[in-house]
Amino acid sequence: QVQLVQSGAEVKKPGASVKVSCKVSGYTLTELSMHWVRQAPGKGLEWMGGFDPEDGETIYAQKFQGRVTMTEDTSTDTAYMELSSLRSEDTAVYYCATAIAVPAFDIWGQGTMVTVSS
Amino acid sequence: EIVLTQSPGTLSLSPGERATLSCRASQSVSSSYLAWYQQKPGQAPRLLIYGASSRATGIPDRFSGSGSGTDFTLTISRLEPEDFAVYYCQQYGSSLMYTFGQGTKLEIK
């Protein structure tokens, strides 16, 4: 079955960038539309962006436009989310998620904790 | 952007009781694209309901979803101890924009 395995926790300083990976197994990345969702400590879920298979483009939530870049390496079936100009408010668990069998996120990665602190 | 408002913020009930969670949208949402998730501490969210009323694979039938337009409901018919968690509704619409509600915490009374 499909699995999403994310990279480990990161600690970054304000102003730096972070790149989180999400490796797919059980499917190839080209068969999926990968999305990224984050969750600040004690807060709710926040969609950051994802791949639109109809347009073949990545859509970003307005809040993150200009600061986030989502890419894919199909040779290794790995998706990446890079967030730049980090600030303390970006401290959160970052999840990759995808829809396999139904039109909703039925498969999630285990999450990657990103801490932004000076 | 469509805003989803969930109520109540916290729901205190006992095992065996019925839970009714609400999700209201700021504008009409296609029922095909309304989902509910359960999240326990330290875990990734788990899909419960998609298309407003269809249970995801492996979800017990005590979970049910209903609603249309701007008002949606998640019902848990008889609460089991493992059902106490945070629940989120989610929608996606045109241009593949997704939004989540702020969540309802279901706690043991």
Side-chain angles (χ1 to χ4, degrees), chain A residues 35 37 39 43-47 50-53 57 59-62 95 101-106 108-111, chain B residues 1 32-33 35 37 39 42-47 49-51 56-57 88 90 92 95-102:
Chain A
H35 292 255
V37 175
Q39 186 171 37
K43 302 297 184 182
L45 302 170
E46 184 173 33
W47 178 75
F51 184 73
D52 181 355
E57 298 197 356
I59 306 294
Y60 300 121
Q62 188 171 9
Y95 294 101
V102 299
F105 297 152
D106 54 351
W108 293 71
Q110 83 276 20
Chain B
E1 176 187 320
S32 298
Y33 303 132
Y37 298 84
Q39 188 180 33
Q43 296 183 17
R46 177 175 73 145
L47 177 66
I49 300 288
Y50 65 94
T57 301
Y88 296 94
Q90 176 209 41
Y92 67 96
S95 302
L96 204 68
M97 301 301 287
Y98 291 74
T99 53
F100 288 93
Q102 84 280 15

Side-chain angles (χ1 to χ4, degrees), chain B residues 15-16 38-41 43 46 48 60 62-63 76 78-87 106 108:
Chain B
Q38 176 193 68
Q39 188 180 33
K40 296 180 180 179
Q43 296 183 17
R46 177 175 73 145
L48 298 176
R62 64 179 181 273
F63 291 90
I76 311 171
R78 286 181 56 85
L79 285 166
E80 298 287 342
E82 62 267 27
D83 298 337
F84 292 92
V86 180
Y87 292 83
L106 178 56
I108 299 176

Side-chain angles (χ1 to χ4, degrees), chain B:
Chain B
E1 176 187 320
I2 296 178
V3 176
L4 299 180
T5 301
Q6 294 186 238
S7 61
T10 301
L11 185 57
S12 300
L13 293 170
S14 300
E17 290 193 292
R18 180 186 186 90
T20 303
L21 287 66
S22 173
C23 176
R24 178 162 290 178
S26 60
Q27 55 188 278
S28 186
V29 171
S30 168
S31 295
S32 298
Y33 303 132
L34 193 289
W36 290 91
Y37 298 84
Q38 176 193 68
Q39 188 180 33
K40 296 180 180 179
Q43 296 183 17
R46 177 175 73 145
L47 177 66
L48 298 176
I49 300 288
Y50 65 94
S53 60
S54 298
R55 274 187 300 277
T57 301
I59 302 303
D61 61 7
R62 64 179 181 273
F63 291 90
S64 63
S66 63
S68 64
T70 60
D71 289 297
F72 298 88
T73 300
L74 174 70
T75 301
I76 311 171
S77 59
R78 286 181 56 85
L79 285 166
E80 298 287 342
E82 62 267 27
D83 298 337
F84 292 92
V86 180
Y87 292 83
Y88 296 94
C89 58
Q90 176 209 41
Q91 70 83 32
Y92 67 96
S94 61
S95 302
L96 204 68
M97 301 301 287
Y98 291 74
T99 53
F100 288 93
Q102 84 280 15
T104 289
K105 181 179 181 180
L106 178 56
E107 65 177 24
I108 299 176
K109 187 173 182 180

